[in-house]
Amino acid sequence: MSENLNPFAIAQAQLDEAAAILQLDPDMHAFLREPMREFHFSIPVRMDDDSTKTFRGYRVQYNDARGPAKGGIRFHPDETIDTIRALAAWMTWKASVLDIPLGGGKGGIICNPRELSRGELERLSRGYMRAMARYVGGTQDVPAPDVNTNPQIMAWMLDEYELIVGHREPGVITGKPIELGGSQGRGPATALGGLITIRETAKLKGMDLKGMTCAIQGYGNVGSNAHQLAHDMFGLNVVAISDEFGGIYNVNGLDPAQTLPYSRRNGSLKGFPGSDVISNSDLLELDVDILIPAAIENQLTSANADRIKAKIIAELANGPTTPDADNILNAKGCYIIPDFLCNAGGVTVSYFEMVQNSYQFYWDEVLVQQRLDQKMTLAFHAVHNMAQAKNVDNRVAAYLVAVDRVAQAVRLRGWV
Ligand code: NAD
């Protein structure tokens, strides 16, 4: 039978496994298997040629027992409600495993932002916020950037919200430009959080990261920052990187000081001088010490897991590994740092942004990084200790920590 690659079915299967180990009450399990609220709406946008195009928008507030829902908004032509449900579930577990007082949410619009003018993109972003304004806010649900959305889009959404409610409320959205109440250090936060979990893994295993080889799939916000930080913090030898157009490889390492401006200038890594071409699938199978998937879901599946050679997989992307691949990789002794732990740096600094907005007093980047390091390190060891105590893999352990905390909040509220 072929593998089920529906991300929400995967998220539910992962929860089911944790629920069985936790011996979760069946009513609680049923409640946590489904989103609490979903919004499906149309966004009519006046296009530059004066026609009106209607886009489909979604927001899922998966669970807000521990605090306001929190999660990004994606603009993608292949967006599906099940992907958003899965991502909203993972946000719930992510906020919980980091022990920050937030729930989980996610949103999206089916669109191809590359086909929109700047004016159309602004009207679409404002339209999304008009549709959701009554249901978001610093105490309800706080959106943020995700794939194909950025600080400028957050700024338009913030402005639209504040026009509607008639007052300033910067904490309604995170990932804002610094000038509008964004936090120092938000840009590289997801990658930095992931690198901190790699550092802790290396300590546990007694490994010296300097000169170890690494491959990174995806060269957007997360992948490109991971490259820079892997190089600067640990002297990792990053031999391969890629984007949606393919990858580049150099056994002697790729210098981010060269590849980052090249990728920015050319819109892709293609043709980078002094490198060999490598496909995205071959990059995943390279004989490297550390593999960092930082692009999209379902990259490590039953079709390629037995050919993966990396000893550590740091999942900066959401949902890069299917359950079947998980089983194969764990059996091979691969150490997986699961997505909702590894990539939690972004939501953690988003939470710091909300805190700074609420008391209108801003921290410098060093303080942000110190507090992020503290949170990530604590969460990493909570998961590692759970894995040891219950003799389970890291992903199951992360679920055990996270689901138990959410279930306690649900129980204390008397919902189930
Ligand atoms: P992004 O849009 O900035 O970059 C995505 C990168 O992936 C681009 O380089 C793109 O070319 C590449 N890509 C797209 N499709 C690909 C494919 N089929 N094969 C290989 N590469 C492909 O997005 P991002 O913010 O860097 O997010 C990357 C991943 O990290 C996503 O899974 C996202 O959900 C996750 N994530 C992001 C954050 C954050 O703070 N940005 C936080 C947590 C998790």
Side-chain angles (χ1 to χ4, degrees), residues 183-363:
S183 178
Q184 297 289 344
R186 175 62 184 87
T190 303
L192 177 57
L195 268 287
I196 290 167
T197 64
I198 292 175
R199 180 195 69 200
E200 293 306 301
T201 304
K203 276 190 205 159
L204 284 177
K205 293 179 166 287
M207 291 170 7
D208 180 6
L209 288 171
K210 192 161 173 46
M212 283 195 147
T213 52
C214 175
I216 303 176
Q217 185 197 42
Y219 215 60
N221 170 294
V222 177
S224 64
N225 277 301
H227 184 193
Q228 183 79 62
L229 292 170
H231 181 271
D232 296 354
M233 288 167 68
F234 307 130
L236 277 173
N237 182 22
V238 178
V239 294
I241 53 179
S242 71
D243 55 33
E244 67 205 81
F245 308 106
I248 57 173
Y249 175 81
N250 184 331
V251 71
N252 298 315
L254 295 158
D255 181 359
Q258 309 290 329
T259 55
L260 280 162
Y262 182 90
S263 148
R264 246 179 254 129
R265 232 182 8 253
N266 297 287
S268 96
L269 293 161
K270 240 185 160 143
F272 179 74
S275 66
D276 296 327
V277 173
I278 187 168
S279 69
N280 264 295
S281 48
D282 287 347
L283 176 146
L284 298 172
E285 296 174 18
L286 279 174
D287 189 2
V288 288
D289 298 304
I290 302 170
L291 174 64
I292 304 184
I296 52 166
E297 305 87 43
N298 294 333
Q299 294 304 293
L300 307 176
T301 68
S302 57
N304 62 1
D306 57 348
R307 293 193 301 275
I308 303 298
K309 298 173 197 73
K311 293 160 204 72
I312 296 173
I313 298 178
E315 295 182 339
L316 275 173
N318 280 308
T321 310
T322 64
D324 285 358
D326 247 344
N327 293 336
I328 298 168
L329 293 166
N330 281 314
K332 287 189 350 174
C334 182
Y335 192 91
I336 301 177
I337 311 172
D339 51 3
F340 70 79
L341 169 66
C342 187
N343 68 31
V347 73
T348 304
V349 175
S350 275
Y351 161 60
F352 295 164
E353 185 174 331
M354 290 169 67
V355 172
Q356 294 169 80
N357 292 150
S358 74
Y359 59 93
Q360 288 281 36
F361 185 69
Y362 290 86
W363 312 342

Side-chain angles (χ1 to χ4, degrees), residues 85-98:
R85 286 177 180 134
L87 291 161
W90 288 326
M91 284 304 297
T92 306
W93 314 133
K94 192 185 297 191
S96 177
V97 86
L98 262 285

Side-chain angles (χ1 to χ4, degrees), residues 133-172:
R134 270 168 287 174
Y135 313 108
V136 297
T139 55
Q140 284 170 278
D141 179 7
V142 182
D146 201 289
V147 174
N148 288 329
T149 54
N150 56 36
Q152 175 60 75
I153 290 174
M154 300 303 107
W156 288 326
M157 289 187 175
L158 170 71
D159 187 62
E160 189 68 22
Y161 179 83
E162 291 182 338
L163 283 171
I164 292 168
V165 298
H167 59 257
R168 293 282 173 257
E169 195 182 319
V172 68

